[in-house]
Amino acid sequence: NAGVTQTPKFRILKIGQSMTLQCAQDMNHNYMYWYRQDPGMGLKLIYYSVGAGITDKGEVPNGYNVSRSTTEDFPLRLELAAPSQTSVYFCASRGLAGGFNEQFFGPGTRLTVL
Amino acid sequence: GQQVMQIPQYQHVQEGEDFTTYCNSSTTLSNIQWYKQRPGGHPVFLIQLVKSGEVKKQKRLTFQFGEAKKNSSLHITATQTTDVGTYFCAGPLTGANSKLTFGKGITLSVRP
C-alpha cells in the first residue's frame, strides 16, 4: 500500500492564481483531512470529510474549497492564491473508529505564493 | 474554544540526557494522541492513550495520561540524535471525535 500520497511536492504560485492540491489514499479510509502547517503554529485543520460526498469546514477554511467524489481522493482547491496561503499542506486519513484513531499523513505539499 | 497547549516550543538537550514534555488541555479528553515529525517530514503517529492514568512505553519513550484526562506527558530516557524532531499532542474536539486539535508542538534538538 502506498498509504497517503500528495502531489505536487512543491509549488510556487503568483498572487491570484489557482491550483488544486491532490491527495489520495489506498487504505479505504472514510475520514480524510487537510491541514496547513505554519512555522511554530502546529497543524490547523482546513477541511475534512467523513465519507464520499460529505465535507465540512475546519478551523481555517477561508480561501479553500474541497470535494470528495470518491473514497480515495480528497483534492484541495485554492481559487485566488494569496501570500497568507504560503504554507506546508498535509493531507491525512483515518479509518472508522473502534480502535486506534490514528491519522496517517501524506508527505506534504510546500506552497509559496509570491 | 478548546485548546491543547504545549510549552515550551523548543528544547535543547545533550545526548544522553533525559527529556520530559507536557501537554495540557482546556477540557477533558476522551483520548490523547502523540505524533512525531522529523525535520522536513510529515507527522507520524506514535501512540494513543485512553484511560485515566494510563502509562505506555515504547522503548525509551514513556507516555502518560493524567488522572483527570486533561494532561499528558512524554518522557524520553537517554536521548539520542534520532529523537530529534517535533512532538505534537492532539485530542479530539468535544462532541466531534472525528476531528483532532493539535498542540503547537515541541521541537527537540539533541547535541551530540
Side-chain angles (χ1 to χ4, degrees), chain B residues 6 41 63-65 95:
Chain B
Q6 293 181 259
F63 302 84
Q64 185 164 6
F65 204 5

Short mmCIF file of all heavy atoms in Angstrom, two decimals, chain B residues 6 41 63-65 95:
data_model
loop_
_atom_site.label_atom_id
_atom_site.label_comp_id
_atom_site.label_asym_id
_atom_site.label_seq_id
_atom_site.Cartn_x
_atom_site.Cartn_y
_atom_site.Cartn_z
N GLN B 6 1.11 23.17 24.48
CA GLN B 6 2.42 22.58 24.71
C GLN B 6 3.43 23.72 24.90
O GLN B 6 3.61 24.53 24.01
CB GLN B 6 2.87 21.72 23.52
CG GLN B 6 2.05 20.47 23.30
CD GLN B 6 2.56 19.66 22.14
OE1 GLN B 6 1.99 19.71 21.04
NE2 GLN B 6 3.63 18.91 22.36
N GLY B 41 9.86 16.35 7.39
CA GLY B 41 8.97 15.20 7.18
C GLY B 41 7.53 15.52 7.54
O GLY B 41 7.14 16.67 7.66
N PHE B 63 4.87 7.41 27.83
CA PHE B 63 3.74 8.32 27.69
C PHE B 63 2.79 8.10 28.86
O PHE B 63 2.55 6.97 29.28
CB PHE B 63 2.99 8.05 26.38
CG PHE B 63 3.82 8.16 25.15
CD1 PHE B 63 4.58 7.07 24.72
CD2 PHE B 63 3.85 9.33 24.41
CE1 PHE B 63 5.35 7.17 23.58
CE2 PHE B 63 4.61 9.42 23.26
CZ PHE B 63 5.37 8.34 22.85
N GLN B 64 2.25 9.22 29.37
CA GLN B 64 1.30 9.10 30.47
C GLN B 64 0.11 10.02 30.23
O GLN B 64 0.25 11.13 29.74
CB GLN B 64 1.97 9.45 31.81
CG GLN B 64 1.08 9.25 33.01
CD GLN B 64 1.86 9.22 34.32
OE1 GLN B 64 3.05 9.47 34.33
NE2 GLN B 64 1.18 8.91 35.39
N PHE B 65 -1.07 9.53 30.59
CA PHE B 65 -2.30 10.31 30.54
C PHE B 65 -2.69 10.66 31.96
O PHE B 65 -2.66 9.81 32.85
CB PHE B 65 -3.41 9.47 29.91
CG PHE B 65 -4.53 10.24 29.27
CD1 PHE B 65 -4.52 11.62 29.17
CD2 PHE B 65 -5.63 9.56 28.76
CE1 PHE B 65 -5.55 12.32 28.57
CE2 PHE B 65 -6.67 10.25 28.14
CZ PHE B 65 -6.64 11.62 28.05
N GLY B 95 -17.33 16.60 21.41
CA GLY B 95 -18.51 16.37 20.60
C GLY B 95 -18.22 16.13 19.13
O GLY B 95 -19.13 16.03 18.32
#
